[in-house]
Amino acid sequence: LLQQSTLYVNLEPCSHFGKTPPCADLIIEKKIPRAVIGCADPNPLVSGRGIEKLRLADCELQIGILEKESQELNKRFFTFYEKKRPYVILKWAQTSDGFLAPQNRSRMNISNDYSRKLMHEWRSEETAIMVGKNTALFDNPKLDSKIHGKKNPLRIVLDKNLELPSSLNLFDHTIPSIVFTEKNKENETNLEFVQMNFGNSALHNMLSILYERKIQSVIVEGGAMLLESFIKEGLWDEARIFKAARHIENGISAPQINGIQIYSEKILTDQLIILKNNQ
């Protein structure tokens, strides 16, 4: 019976109308007598109000149980409200000698099939995916998840002067997509052109726009210049790097990055390393 139960939640029950009615009100309505709450909600619309509602309704509370683990579980949510930007994941695959691609930019699979399948799973888990102009032009990626039944992320490309051809897969109108540019252009079906300043604060400007649009996470898949820009500005939270067995001797160098290693796994011939930003 609910009236004799204990509710365990990793995040404070909400107290406002959003996509759903207030969770705290439903808990009170169902007369659940006890709740164990991992961490408080950083959303200013909640921020302790859900806890206060439950206290006033004489619900017995335990707060801060496994708090760090609960914050990690909700890291995108916390980053969104505390840093006022999406949670940024940098992702790339590099050869054993430290290159992202051949010098002539010819398309080449560096990581193995199992690693690439994992990458497509990751795409389905994030709100948006981003590439720079050169990656869009030379690789012509579709940036979908390619996993049956999984959602596709919002596709984002940076094209300051609108130089990319309309024939690219990114502009096929099948998946909602955004082009950040300094030019003015009319939107098309599933394709929005967003004007912004590409000056010294280009990445900050772009992430602010994504924050305003309630984009909670973005996975940045290249190219080298875009990845290095995020690293230089410190605007990243997690880096997922596949170090492959392939050796090409010359090419476009992989970014240099410093962070705290939080995970490592061997995936057949590839080594997956995940870093966390320590800034």
Side-chain angles (χ1 to χ4, degrees):
L1 294 175
L2 286 178
Q3 291 83 1
Q4 299 172 348
S5 66
T6 300
L7 176 70
Y8 293 86
V9 290
N10 59 72
L11 188 67
E12 173 184 357
C14 67
S15 57
H16 69 293
F17 282 87
K19 292 181 180 178
T20 59
C23 304
D25 289 358
L26 184 62
I27 295 167
I28 293 166
E29 179 190 329
K30 298 300 181 182
K31 297 180 181 178
I32 297 173
R34 290 175 301 279
V36 177
I37 299 170
C39 57
D41 190 332
N43 184 344
L45 292 174
V46 184
S47 193
R49 293 182 180 88
I51 289 171
E52 186 61 21
K53 267 192 172 186
L54 295 176
R55 277 203 178 111
L56 290 173
D58 293 327
C59 183
E60 181 187 329
L61 300 178
Q62 279 186 281
I63 302 163
I65 306 300
L66 299 176
E67 186 170 19
K68 286 185 179 179
E69 291 84 351
S70 295
Q71 289 173 344
E72 174 65 20
L73 191 63
N74 294 284
K75 58 192 175 184
R76 293 162 183 78
F77 187 76
F78 273 81
T79 298
F80 182 80
Y81 282 106
E82 292 177 350
K83 297 186 177 180
K84 297 194 168 26
R85 64 163 175 79
Y87 186 86
V88 176
I89 300 167
L90 309 181
K91 192 281 297 177
W92 71 86
Q94 65 184 61
T95 61
S96 60
D97 46 351
F99 298 107
L100 292 180
Q103 199 66 52
N104 64 4
R105 295 183 180 274
S106 61
R107 189 159 187 178
M108 173 189 289
N109 286 328
I110 290 175
S111 56
N112 63 49
D113 290 346
Y114 291 91
S115 294
R116 289 198 299 278
K117 184 176 180 181
L118 180 58
M119 290 185 227
H120 287 292
E121 286 280 358
W122 288 344
R123 288 179 179 181
S124 72
E125 294 168 356
E126 307 307 331
T127 314
I129 185 169
M130 181 187 302
V131 293
K133 184 187 77 174
N134 287 338
T135 297
L137 182 62
F138 291 105
D139 291 355
N140 193 19
K142 193 170 176 65
L143 298 185
D144 56 354
S145 73
K146 291 183 174 63
I147 305 293
H148 180 70
K150 298 276 188 174
K151 72 175 183 64
N152 292 311
L154 169 72
R155 303 184 297 195
I156 300 171
V157 63
L158 280 68
D159 185 10
K160 179 180 177 180
N161 296 310
L162 289 183
E163 297 170 312
L164 292 172
S166 60
S167 58
L168 292 179
N169 288 327
L170 285 174
F171 305 141
D172 63 5
H173 307 286
T174 61
I175 299 169
S177 306
I178 291 176
V179 179
F180 281 101
T181 177
E182 281 193 339
K183 305 294 184 181
N184 182 33
K185 186 172 182 181
E186 284 191 17
N187 296 333
E188 302 171 15
T189 303
N190 270 343
L191 183 57
E192 184 178 2
F193 296 89
V194 178
Q195 270 188 290
M196 75 166 199
N197 184 353
F198 272 68
N200 293 334
S201 301
L203 293 185
H204 289 273
N205 294 339
M206 180 183 59
L207 292 177
S208 293
I209 293 169
L210 295 179
Y211 170 76
E212 290 167 3
R213 290 164 177 251
K214 296 183 169 31
I215 304 298
Q216 285 198 12
S217 67
V218 59
I219 186 165
V220 182
E221 290 205 3
M225 287 178 60
L226 183 60
L227 290 165
E228 286 166 359
S229 295
F230 274 96
I231 294 167
K232 182 181 177 182
E233 296 290 331
L235 290 172
W236 64 280
D237 300 288
E238 198 175 304
R240 302 176 182 177
I241 305 161
F242 289 96
K243 294 188 175 180
R246 191 159 197 164
H247 187 89
I248 61 173
E249 295 185 0
N250 189 28
I252 298 167
S253 295
Q256 298 297 308
I257 190 169
N258 293 313
I260 300 169
Q261 183 172 312
I262 58 172
Y263 186 77
S264 179
E265 179 186 0
K266 190 79 172 172
I267 303 176
L268 294 184
T269 54
D270 297 341
Q271 184 72 36
L272 168 62
I273 295 171
I274 300 182
L275 304 177
K276 186 176 181 180
N277 193 346
N278 56 5
Q279 296 181 348

